[in-house]
Amino acid sequence: MKRQAKRILLPCLEVTEIAFPTDENAIPIYLREGNPNPDYYVRNKHENPTGERIDFKPRWMGSRFNLFPIVLDAHGVPWAEANIYLLSRAESTPNPVMSTLASIADSLASFRRFLDETGIDWTEFPSQKLKRPTYRYSSYLKLEIASDHLKDSTAKRHMSTVISFYSWLIQENTLKPAHSPWKKDDRFIQLTDRRGLKFSKQISTTDLSIKTAKPNDPYSDQIEDGGKLRPLNTADQEHLIEALIELGNTEMLLIHLVGLLTGARIQTVLTMRLKHVSAKLKNATSDEIRVPAGPGTGIDTKYGKKLVLHFPKWLYEKLHIYANSNRSKLRRLRAGNGDNADQYLFLSIRGVPLYTSKQDSLMFDSSNNKRHIKNGQAVRQFIKDYVIPLIRLKKKDDNFQYQFHDTRASYGMNLTDHQLKRVSLGEITLHQAREFVKARMGHESSATTDKYLQYRSNLHMASAINATYQNHIQNLIAKYTIGKNEN
């Protein structure tokens, strides 16, 4: 089997430097089994008693990482420049997101595969523009898009990463290309902020950038809300809940209920902690319980927004009962840091988190031996393997499909339908309905909220127009009998 360049994740990475045996905190490294003498010594970057880095870099700069991505070439050898670039990206922020680094490493691995397969020297930039590695790779990606082997959005990400990689190499004086890797163009674009004020922003583009065409279909059955989401109608929501009850997995049922009844995304649901549902309800007078989410709460949100989750009181009680059940306690006892208030509410049967929060991913664990990031894969796999097949069987519909984030769109439409009904009864204005839905969904822009408000009418309009047109064509065809003039 032909070996190819690839990205792998290191369970742990500690940045060290070569040391002398006599240096304080020198660590012996043995490369050969059974060898009584160390091959060399290293020392960690943060070994000063004061916590200062011994290389005099800023104190906040990390030197210990879990699940750090590295790129290997076709021979399984680490690509030095690419990996140093990844390390520089990790060190450039106090809170590096390892999933983002992994995505960058994926793009660099794709570029390395192209280089290995074509035999192109990535450091050579001849005078003929189309022979330069950047232009060769851009052409290759465009051919992959044209042949439907690669999504345009993926190709755009790959090319953007390669441009950033070369820009860093040039800035660090690691690479001095004989000719320019691309043609740069600076321009100003007009933008509008949340208050409706217009402002200009300077952006830089290159002639390597790959354009992506975003389809804009307001009459689609999907809503663009941090991704393409399809609201489930009332019948499908009932089918979903019935299937989850029949399958008998308590965690998956509760996870879906939180999504359907609060509109929380999967990272928000799965990073809830025991402490968030341990409050006593004896003195609660409202029909809903409010739980803050976002930075400082232990619950992740998209883009680190501060939100408030509104739980129906009965659902919060169910979560409270589950948290105190033997089933839940046994899972917490199997978890790495045991049964405590900061433990995740939802764990696998082996006590493994279903999603690793941003906060926890930044905490270095020298004993980590996993090579993948927990980001809700277990929930998605359960949906694919069990929930969808059962619903298809019950509905007798082999085309039924949904993703977990559709529960958020379903919540948004349930909320919108109720508010629009109140508008029709004269209880509230349309503006009040819009602001209520916007606040509950945590939308940054009112334009996203409007997609929910217009969803039903757009679908109805598209359906009516389509039906009218189809009837017109059918009437025309009815005047002609297929085959009447055929021999």
Side-chain angles (χ1 to χ4, degrees):
M1 183 178 177
K2 186 179 178 181
R3 298 181 65 179
Q4 292 184 320
K6 63 180 178 179
R7 180 269 290 172
I8 65 170
L9 293 181
L10 298 179
C12 300
L13 173 68
E14 295 192 59
V15 183
T16 60
E17 66 177 16
I18 298 295
F20 292 104
T22 55
D23 286 342
E24 187 179 2
N25 299 316
I27 303 170
I29 302 296
Y30 299 88
L31 297 179
R32 293 163 291 179
E33 188 176 353
N35 182 17
N37 300 315
D39 290 277
Y40 62 96
Y41 292 82
V42 299
R43 59 177 180 170
N44 293 321
K45 296 289 189 180
H46 276 102
E47 285 301 336
N48 281 350
T50 61
E52 299 287 342
R53 286 182 61 130
I54 60 177
D55 55 6
F56 305 108
K57 287 186 177 181
R59 206 169 158 180
W60 54 261
M61 192 175 284
S63 65
R64 298 178 174 94
F65 307 97
N66 287 130
L67 299 172
F68 190 88
I70 65 170
V71 180
L72 306 178
D73 65 18
H75 303 289
V77 177
W79 186 8
E81 291 83 359
N83 295 322
I84 294 173
Y85 171 64
L86 289 167
L87 181 59
S88 76
R89 292 289 298 256
E91 290 182 331
S92 65
T93 173
N95 303 314
V97 180
M98 304 316 289
S99 58
T100 301
L101 278 182
S103 177
I104 294 171
D106 282 333
S107 294
L108 290 174
S110 173
F111 181 48
R112 185 71 207 207
R113 283 193 294 272
F114 167 75
L115 296 171
D116 291 340
E117 290 169 4
T118 55
I120 295 173
D121 186 341
W122 63 275
T123 64
E124 291 292 327
F125 286 82
S127 58
Q128 190 171 350
K129 185 174 76 170
L130 297 180
K131 286 188 176 181
R132 299 170 199 170
T134 47
Y135 285 95
R136 293 280 298 274
Y137 188 55
S138 177
S139 298
Y140 163 76
L141 291 176
K142 290 174 181 176
L143 286 173
E144 289 290 282
I145 295 171
S147 59
D148 205 24
H149 292 154
L150 194 67
K151 290 183 179 179
D152 56 358
S153 57
T154 304
K156 181 178 181 178
R157 174 168 55 84
H158 288 343
M159 195 69 249
S160 176
T161 298
V162 169
I163 292 171
S164 298
F165 174 52
Y166 274 111
S167 297
W168 175 81
L169 288 168
I170 295 169
Q171 183 180 350
E172 295 291 319
N173 290 320
T174 302
L175 177 69
K176 295 183 178 180
H179 296 88
S180 178
W182 51 74
K183 183 180 178 182
K184 188 178 177 182
D185 180 29
D186 294 328
R187 64 183 64 179
F188 287 89
I189 59 172
Q190 295 290 326
L191 299 172
T192 305
D193 65 15
R194 286 180 293 172
R195 294 171 294 179
L197 300 175
K198 293 184 178 180
F199 64 97
S200 299
K201 181 180 179 181
Q202 183 179 358
I203 61 169
S204 296
T205 62
T206 73
D207 56 346
L208 297 174
S209 301
I210 294 176
K211 296 180 180 179
T212 57
K214 289 187 177 180
N216 181 23
D217 182 7
Y219 305 107
S220 167
D221 66 346
Q222 295 178 317
I223 296 176
E224 184 65 43
D225 183 6
K228 291 190 178 298
L229 312 181
R230 184 178 68 85
L232 301 175
N233 59 41
T234 304
D236 282 345
Q237 290 179 49
E238 291 176 1
H239 282 300
L240 174 59
I241 294 172
E242 288 170 357
L244 289 164
I245 292 172
E246 185 172 334
L247 289 167
N249 187 306
T250 306
E251 289 76 19
M252 294 299 169
L253 173 60
L254 291 174
I255 287 167
H256 275 79
L257 287 176
V258 174
L260 281 169
L261 296 169
T262 70
R265 291 182 168 90
I266 192 167
Q267 64 264 47
T268 300
V269 180
L270 299 184
T271 53
M272 287 177 61
R273 315 284 177 146
L274 182 64
K275 63 185 178 183
H276 296 125
V277 295
S278 59
K280 293 182 179 180
L281 301 174
K282 292 180 181 178
N283 300 324
T285 56
S286 173
D287 289 334
E288 66 177 24
I289 305 295
R290 300 180 181 185
V291 177
T297 67
I299 301 178
D300 279 7
T301 56
K302 191 168 185 178
Y303 303 131
K305 290 181 184 177
K306 285 208 167 188
L307 303 173
V308 175
L309 303 176
H310 298 259
F311 287 85
K313 186 177 177 181
W314 68 265
L315 175 58
Y316 189 89
E317 289 173 342
K318 294 288 185 187
L319 294 172
H320 181 72
I321 292 169
Y322 169 74
N324 290 283
S325 67
N326 288 332
R327 179 186 177 99
S328 181
K329 288 178 181 178
L330 283 173
R331 294 182 179 222
R332 292 197 297 272
L333 289 171
R334 296 184 186 119
N337 55 344
D339 187 0
N340 61 78
D342 285 319
Q343 185 58 267
Y344 293 104
L345 176 61
F346 298 114
L347 298 166
S348 75
I349 194 170
R350 296 187 301 276
V352 178
L354 301 178
Y355 204 107
T356 304
S357 72
K358 295 174 185 176
Q359 175 185 326
D360 289 349
S361 66
L362 294 173
M363 297 174 62
F364 180 71
D365 178 9
S366 60
S367 63
N368 180 57
N369 58 7
K370 296 180 177 61
R371 289 183 178 269
H372 62 276
I373 298 170
K374 294 292 183 181
N375 60 3
Q377 304 99 315
V379 175
R380 297 185 186 94
Q381 200 64 42
F382 185 84
I383 290 171
K384 179 182 176 182
D385 293 344
Y386 300 102
V387 185
I388 291 177
L390 183 56
I391 295 177
R392 285 179 175 179
L393 182 65
K394 295 285 185 181
K395 287 187 63 177
K396 296 181 174 57
D397 179 5
D398 291 338
N399 296 319
F400 175 81
Q401 191 65 262
Y402 87 101
Q403 56 180 337
F404 183 81
H405 275 177
D406 290 342
T407 62
R408 171 175 169 79
S410 303
Y411 167 77
M413 281 312 307
N414 292 343
L415 206 62
T416 300
D417 288 342
H418 178 69
Q419 291 302 303
L420 291 179
K421 185 176 181 181
R422 294 186 64 196
V423 171
S424 67
L425 294 173
E427 297 176 357
I428 59 173
T429 65
L430 184 59
H431 175 74
Q432 289 173 320
R434 181 197 205 194
E435 292 304 304
F436 182 84
V437 175
K438 180 184 176 184
R440 286 296 179 99
M441 295 292 289
H443 289 153
E444 196 75 24
S445 168
S446 297
T448 306
T449 310
D450 288 343
K451 293 174 184 177
Y452 285 88
L453 297 176
Q454 297 162 3
Y455 180 77
R456 299 279 188 225
S457 60
N458 285 348
L459 272 188
H460 179 73
M461 184 186 302
S463 178
I465 292 172
N466 192 40
T468 302
Y469 184 69
Q470 286 183 15
N471 289 337
H472 174 65
I473 296 296
Q474 185 179 8
N475 290 334
L476 288 175
I477 293 296
K479 300 175 182 177
Y480 179 83
T481 304
I482 300 296
K484 70 177 183 179
N485 294 323
E486 296 177 4
N487 295 324

